[in-house]
Amino acid sequence: DVSLEVSGLAYAYPDGTQALFGVDAVIGKGERVALLGPNGAGKTTFVLHLNGILHGGAGTVRVGGLPVDPRDKKALKEIRRRVGLVFQDPDDQLFMPTVREDVAFGPANLGVRGAELERRVAAALERVGMAHVADRAPQHLSFGQRRRVAVATVLAMEPEILVLDEPSSNLDPASRRELAEILLSLDVTVLMVTHDLPYAAQLCPRALILSGGVIAADGPTLGLLADE
Ligand code: ADP
Ligand code: ADP
């Protein structure tokens, strides 16, 4: 089973900057893959295509077999559910008075209600070890706790693929370890954009290296890092 299939993806920004030059990648269900590469390589541009935030270039993206087609509003809504984006800064993702409301926001927005909504929220908070702070205000949590709650807000959507931007940034060693354990315990497909090579090696058996808008390497993370 395939979670993500990207084929011939090319994209230039409106100012003419060509950011992607024909990217191909297939990620199987349940794989954990690191997306590595220098600044300006096109990592952000690539990720923003996975749920249709950026579009209009060449090529195709499919998530769980469904094409990302920005003209098809109904399909796009399903794509946004299937692709769970965890931003680098959790404060871009948490805006409700309580943790519980933040985690409920996404599924509620999809029409999930009642006991099913409660189950989703409880399960997502449980997954990230944050059930005990459900009634607290996100801004009163530590940074590491806020990042875990941000992961829970996305897990509550029951995504096909979890995409994290620099998940280990600004975490102390204990929080890094806790988050690593959480990510290793998930059975969802994970794509992690990172500059943290030890974290990539620890969490992701496979890495894609993006460089100058093309996939420069794709293979076992430890092997790729040894070749660097
Ligand atoms: P990365 O995430 O790997 O650092 P980006 O996807 O942000 O790379 O950038 C890829 C290329 O596209 C770079 O040359 C960058 O300067 C350019 N770029 C990114 N965003 C924009 C934008 N909004 N307008 C024009 N060029 C952009
Ligand atoms: P990161 O590597 O952490 O993704 P970047 O420095 O690539 O950060 O990009 C930060 C922001 O600046 C992004 O929103 C990106 O789209 C924008 N950006 C990057 N390069 C350009 C550019 N040449 N012109 C306009 N916006 C850009």
Side-chain angles (χ1 to χ4, degrees), residues 57-147:
T60 58
V61 177
R62 285 170 189 271
V63 181
L66 182 66
V68 179
D69 176 0
R71 290 158 308 180
D72 183 342
K73 295 296 170 214
K74 197 164 165 235
L76 200 57
K77 197 175 166 193
E78 172 61 14
I79 289 291
R80 300 246 152 107
R81 185 195 71 72
R82 290 188 189 192
V83 180
L85 289 186
V86 180
F87 305 138
Q88 184 166 0
D89 185 351
D91 298 331
D92 289 341
Q93 212 140 5
L94 305 175
F95 50 88
M96 297 295 276
T98 66
V99 164
R100 183 190 307 284
E101 287 165 285
D102 260 323
V103 178
F105 183 85
N109 199 35
L110 294 171
V112 178
R113 297 281 183 270
E116 169 63 8
L117 184 58
E118 279 176 38
R119 184 194 66 74
R120 294 263 200 123
V121 171
L125 285 173
E126 196 65 46
R127 267 268 167 233
V128 302
M130 289 285 101
H132 62 294
V133 299
D135 294 309
R136 292 180 56 191
Q139 67 267 28
H140 293 155
L141 303 178
S142 73
F143 186 85
Q145 289 176 318
R146 296 209 294 287
R147 180 154 293 146

Side-chain angles (χ1 to χ4, degrees), residues 1-100:
D1 267 15
V2 172
S3 272
L4 179 69
E5 188 173 3
V6 177
S7 178
L9 186 64
Y11 182 78
Y13 281 96
D15 71 355
T17 307
Q18 184 86 27
L20 299 177
F21 295 84
V23 171
D24 298 302
V26 177
I27 298 180
K29 218 178 186 45
E31 270 197 276
R32 285 189 311 279
V33 179
L35 182 59
L36 310 175
N39 286 327
K43 301 181 299 296
T44 304
T45 307
F46 177 80
V47 162
L48 294 179
H49 276 84
L50 303 186
N51 68 359
I53 292 179
L54 285 180
H55 55 85
T60 58
V61 177
R62 285 170 189 271
V63 181
L66 182 66
V68 179
D69 176 0
R71 290 158 308 180
D72 183 342
K73 295 296 170 214
K74 197 164 165 235
L76 200 57
K77 197 175 166 193
E78 172 61 14
I79 289 291
R80 300 246 152 107
R81 185 195 71 72
R82 290 188 189 192
V83 180
L85 289 186
V86 180
F87 305 138
Q88 184 166 0
D89 185 351
D91 298 331
D92 289 341
Q93 212 140 5
L94 305 175
F95 50 88
M96 297 295 276
T98 66
V99 164
R100 183 190 307 284

